[in-house]
Amino acid sequence: MARRSTSSSTGRPTGTGPSGPRNRTPQPVRLRRRTFGDVVKAFLAFVVLLVLVVGIPGALAMKVGWPLPRSAPSMDWLSQPIDVQTFLNALTVVVWLAWAQFTACVLVEVKAAVSGVGLPGRVPGAGPSQLLARQLVAALLLVGATAASFTPGLSQLGHSLEGNQKGTVATAQATPGILAQQQEQAKSTAAALAEQAGHAAAQAEQGGSTATHGATKYYRIQPPEGRHHDSLWEIAQRHLGDGRRYKEIYELNKDRVQPDGSRLSEASLIRPGWIMEMPGDAHGGELVANPDAHVSPEVRQQIGDYAQTGDHAQHQEQGGGQHAGEDGATARIAVPAQRQAGDTATPAAQESGSHSSGHSFGLPEALLGSPLLAAGLLAALGRRRRQALWQSAFGAVGGRRGMEPPIPTGDAQDVQDALLVGADPDGVRLLDRSLRALAAALTAESRSLPVVYAAWLSHGDLHLQLAQPAGKPPAPWQLGQDQTFWTLSRADAERYEDTDAAAPYPGLVSLGTMDDSRLLLNLEAVPGIVSLSGREADRAAVFASVAAELATNGWSDRMTITLVGFGADLTPLAPNRLRHLDDVEALFETMEAETRQRRGALGAADHHSVLTGRTGPAQHTRWAPNLVLLATQPSAEDAVRLAELAADAARLGIGYLVGSESDDLPGAAWAMEITPDGRLLAPLLGLELQAQLLPAVQQRAVVELFVEADPERDPDGPTTTPPFLVDISEQGRPAVYARLVGPYEIIGLDTPDGERSPLLHEALALLLLHREGVHPRVLSSALWPRGVTEDVRDALLERLRGWLGTDPDGSARLRADSAGRLTLAKSVVSDLDVLRSLYYEATQGKGVDSRAVRGRLLTDALVLVRGPLLADRAEGRYRWLTHEIIDAQLPLLVADIGLALSAFHLEKDRAEKAIEALGAALRTAPADERLWNELLRATHATGDPDRLRALAADLVTRSGVRGLPPRTEALLDELLPTWRDGAAATG
């Protein structure tokens, strides 16, 4: 059987149609193109063959004639002297025999090339003659593809060229896939023959055919039940004595059709039931030598059929692939066509597309084009700021109250605006709900989660690429182009509600976009290492993007991201997720221990992989992934050690993304390259993405936002001063007054006519909540989350400017600052501005030195509170409020006002007034523990134990199964020692 000794994949393997996940080789391979030298060699080979095969016998026949005696010789013939004619006749016989042997060699070589089955047989005693014939035939066939490409070769018998081609094209237009490349089947036979002959010639130049070590041996990939997944590394370790020889097995079997119709085109991805031809020195009891009776008839037939494939199949595909490339018809991963005319990819993408110059108003494009990353960062930043507010309110930071989040400036302000514009929280929500609902549905059916290599988000639809067929998906999921694609439409995804299921695929992370579809790679499922080559700065931008999204994404419960060689300053994004290690040695020490621990935990739980642990009763325990991002190039020894560590990582929930200066990192399952122009290339995956990046400048700005929001940072950071103070005297009466705390009302302006009134009101509310200024793109993305063109936005701003009017000095009340951000004049004020100013003056201004002024200011402030913010807003509008923290700020501010006013009254033993103030504050901040505790003190001050007991019982009822907070319990023990008896009786 022919054995492969060179790597010559096109990188885009072909097939007769969809065949499941298409695995890919880790190394790009360059195809050899025909050159002028090849043409010259072919012409000379043709001349030599013509001379040797036709010219020599012709010359002998004409010049020498018949060399043998025309009758049977007598014994006297032996005693006759040898003359010149006798010598020439003897020499002619030798030449005729040599010609016959050479011609036989030529015929054998041509037959083997035409049949495409293995290397040609040996002609007895041929030796150099067959080598010469092989080289001449190979050289001749190098340019024979064009003329012969119109005739199907023998190896194509039984395949419909036209049907395969059409089926592939149809599939390519149907659904995206990272591992299931659709290929053209228009393969030229002559090109395949040329590649086969060239390969044979190369082998001959190296000393003849590959030496064998006995009969050809085969290995059948074993199913995973009760054992680890088979891998080429482990097979090479068991049967060749060295796992690093897995490449030899890969070369022997690359792109050959397996029993299930798929092909091996990635050294690290194999399936149960596949057959592997083994090198001649392979040994071990699991091997089958030249299909024998020790295996079932079915397996024997499969191995027999497989034995008929080999080098010719690979080279046939190479020849066809080269031909297709020359014709400009190359294979590619397709993405779905847009399903709805009004659907868009992301608001940022659409708006930026409306500008012919591609100008982005100074906002960083990297974040504008990363909707899932931006949404994760924005949500995490909001949580961090809320945490800071709550800790400040409860005196955890310096005993201060009413802390205002700092307003970012410079690059941090631009990055925050880019996050607001680019974020797609709905996309994150749908992705999270869809995946969790899928896990819940599979659990209900007692099915395990399938291994998912990647996901595509295309115009709202979600496509999961499975490692292997996993049956019919639970409704409303549907099969995609074949059994390895599960698809969910956006309409079906929107019907999902939140479900109590563990995140099934927390290792998914965005890599970039292709044809308006976004690719998410499941790092924890890759059976080996993902390598990333390119310039150091470009690699760093990819690593930072991956780390930031993994640390803040919304479709994961828990995970650990181990950063090596970079990222020490990224830890503020998620201190509980991000772990920084100094060097590779620390990585080995940490991951070797964790690998052992995870293997033991899976064994103890009787799970084969972490996926089986994410469904069923144990779904919330121990199965969070650990994703290792190694940005520095490992040494040769470390690379081999890392490959061994990653060999079994996929089933353990451990993923490895490793930076490399070249594309030949040992053990790399998938090799990618980031180019200086921001493209992420994986030729053998058929990918050319616009990469998702987080460049150094934006990375520092993002970190700055999180550091500034850290509740435990330097006390010299945030202050209690509101961002905008108004004149609360009679002389400070505003020209335009908007009431936002409660129902939305505007005083001082006529109500706009027409359908644009709600849009103008919403735009004004956004500007009033951001007195520091609003970027025009932030305003447009808030009002039109699905995107809008520049002319529509500018028209709205003109209407808003005209509606607000001008101040007495003629200046417009809607202005733009030096950076182009929209601001309101001081004459336009909201009740929230007044509320903040009253509280500030009462606690840090005029009220500090005057008790009477403090009481009046606090009373006036509490009167302004008429309910929650924008209480009557229409459903579907003001969705940008989800990005704000005003929903946390306003209750805390109202609670602070209520507490201050209660303290004011209790100083004069006016308990009823204090209770009234606290009750008013509780209507806006009912969950604030401080208000309830102060209400207990004020009620105790009335001297009415029954009233206090009733309040305690009410608190116990409100707390439910969670119970009272510890501080409230301690306070009740102090004020009402018998409260537990009443609580027990109530329970």
Side-chain angles (χ1 to χ4, degrees), residues 387-431:
Q387 182 183 9
L389 284 172
W390 293 327
Q391 290 195 19
S392 173
F394 283 92
V397 182
R400 296 170 301 182
R401 294 182 178 180
M403 182 185 74
E404 296 289 342
I407 297 175
T409 58
D411 290 337
Q413 187 176 22
D414 289 341
V415 161
Q416 178 172 278
D417 288 340
L419 294 177
L420 290 167
V421 173
D424 182 15
D426 286 342
V428 172
R429 177 178 56 83
L430 290 178
L431 176 62

Side-chain angles (χ1 to χ4, degrees), residues 459-494:
H459 304 289
D461 295 343
L462 174 60
H463 308 265
L464 296 183
Q465 171 71 62
L466 311 186
Q468 59 187 6
K472 184 179 179 180
W477 290 80
Q478 298 178 354
L479 288 175
Q481 70 180 60
D482 60 27
Q483 295 287 326
T484 62
F485 286 91
W486 286 5
T487 301
L488 181 70
S489 69
R490 183 185 183 97
D492 289 330
E494 288 175 341

Side-chain angles (χ1 to χ4, degrees), residues 140 235 349 355 468 506 578 678 782 819 894 911 972:
L140 177 61
I235 296 170
H355 309 300
Q468 59 187 6
L578 291 168
V894 172
L972 276 174

Side-chain angles (χ1 to χ4, degrees), residues 104-118 120 137 154 193 196:
C105 293
V106 172
L107 293 176
V108 168
E109 295 294 331
V110 172
K111 179 181 181 297
V114 172
S115 67
V117 180
V137 171
L154 296 178
L193 298 178
Q196 165 69 17

Side-chain angles (χ1 to χ4, degrees), residues 620-701:
H620 294 291
T621 62
R622 294 184 295 189
W623 312 122
N626 187 339
L627 304 175
V628 177
L629 308 182
L630 172 58
T632 57
Q633 166 81 37
S635 65
E637 295 79 7
D638 288 340
V640 173
R641 189 177 174 188
L642 191 63
E644 295 173 348
L645 191 61
D648 193 35
R651 74 182 190 92
L652 303 177
I654 302 175
Y656 291 88
L657 177 62
V658 180
S660 175
E661 296 174 358
S662 61
D663 55 6
D664 58 353
L665 186 70
W670 296 331
M672 300 184 296
E673 176 189 1
I674 179 65
T675 65
D677 60 351
R679 291 179 302 134
L680 191 66
L681 306 179
L684 300 179
L685 301 178
L687 292 177
E688 182 174 332
L689 305 172
Q690 187 62 39
Q692 179 170 293
L693 306 172
L694 187 58
V697 174
Q698 282 81 56
Q699 177 183 335
R700 289 192 294 269

Side-chain angles (χ1 to χ4, degrees), residues 493-835:
E494 288 175 341
R495 298 188 184 100
Y496 277 133
E497 301 291 339
D498 291 334
T499 182
D500 183 24
Y505 304 111
L508 285 169
V509 64
S510 303
L511 290 185
T513 57
M514 182 172 69
D515 297 336
D516 294 329
S517 293
R518 183 165 304 277
L519 170 67
L520 291 89
L521 180 66
N522 190 6
L523 282 180
E524 69 165 332
V526 178
I529 296 170
V530 179
S531 69
L532 177 66
S533 60
R535 299 188 310 183
E536 184 176 0
D538 299 325
R539 296 201 316 261
V542 174
F543 274 98
S545 168
V546 170
E549 184 171 297
L550 289 173
T552 61
N553 71 37
W555 53 89
S556 301
D557 293 323
R558 299 174 295 118
M559 69 166 58
T560 300
I561 304 106
T562 302
L563 310 180
V564 188
F566 83 108
D569 54 346
L570 286 175
T571 51
L573 302 185
N576 295 331
R577 284 192 180 185
L578 291 168
R579 172 176 61 183
H580 179 262
L581 299 179
D582 293 330
D583 51 35
V584 178
E585 195 57 40
L587 171 66
F588 285 132
E589 180 180 352
T590 301
M591 295 312 299
E592 284 173 353
E594 179 158 347
T595 299
R596 289 192 300 270
Q597 186 274 331
R598 287 190 174 227
R599 283 176 179 158
L602 285 176
D606 196 24
H607 291 311
H608 171 69
S609 74
V610 295
L611 288 181
T612 58
R614 288 182 186 153
T615 54
Q619 60 177 289
H620 294 291
T621 62
R622 294 184 295 189
W623 312 122
N626 187 339
L627 304 175
V628 177
L629 308 182
L630 172 58
T632 57
Q633 166 81 37
S635 65
E637 295 79 7
D638 288 340
V640 173
R641 189 177 174 188
L642 191 63
E644 295 173 348
L645 191 61
D648 193 35
R651 74 182 190 92
L652 303 177
I654 302 175
Y656 291 88
L657 177 62
V658 180
S660 175
E661 296 174 358
S662 61
D663 55 6
D664 58 353
L665 186 70
W670 296 331
M672 300 184 296
E673 176 189 1
I674 179 65
T675 65
D677 60 351
R679 291 179 302 134
L680 191 66
L681 306 179
L684 300 179
L685 301 178
L687 292 177
E688 182 174 332
L689 305 172
Q690 187 62 39
Q692 179 170 293
L693 306 172
L694 187 58
V697 174
Q698 282 81 56
Q699 177 183 335
R700 289 192 294 269
V702 166
V703 172
E704 179 183 338
L705 289 174
F706 279 79
V707 170
E708 288 294 316
D710 188 349
E712 297 181 359
R713 71 188 187 90
D714 189 348
D716 294 334
T719 66
T720 58
T721 304
F724 178 71
L725 292 173
V726 299
D727 185 355
I728 57 177
S729 66
E730 284 294 327
Q731 292 74 25
R733 184 179 297 274
V736 178
Y737 181 66
R739 305 177 75 178
L740 305 179
V741 184
Y744 191 2
E745 299 177 15
I746 297 179
I747 301 172
L749 292 177
D750 295 332
T751 301
D753 296 330
E755 298 178 353
R756 298 187 180 94
S757 177
L759 204 60
L760 292 172
H761 278 73
E762 186 173 356
L764 178 58
L766 177 62
L767 291 167
L768 285 167
L769 292 177
H770 290 278
R771 303 303 306 222
E772 73 278 7
V774 177
H775 197 287
R777 295 196 66 178
V778 173
L779 178 68
S780 60
S781 66
L783 299 180
W784 295 280
R786 297 173 65 86
V788 69
T789 55
E790 184 179 355
D791 57 338
V792 173
R793 182 198 63 209
D794 291 345
L796 173 76
L797 292 179
E798 284 303 316
R799 294 189 191 94
L800 182 60
R801 187 174 287 108
W803 180 43
L804 291 175
T806 60
D807 283 334
D809 60 0
S811 60
R813 291 170 180 154
L814 177 62
R815 308 167 182 175
D817 62 13
S818 57
R821 288 178 169 81
L822 302 170
T823 61
L824 294 172
K826 292 183 178 181
S827 58
V828 182
V829 172
S830 73
D831 55 355
L832 186 58
D833 297 326
V834 177
L835 190 66

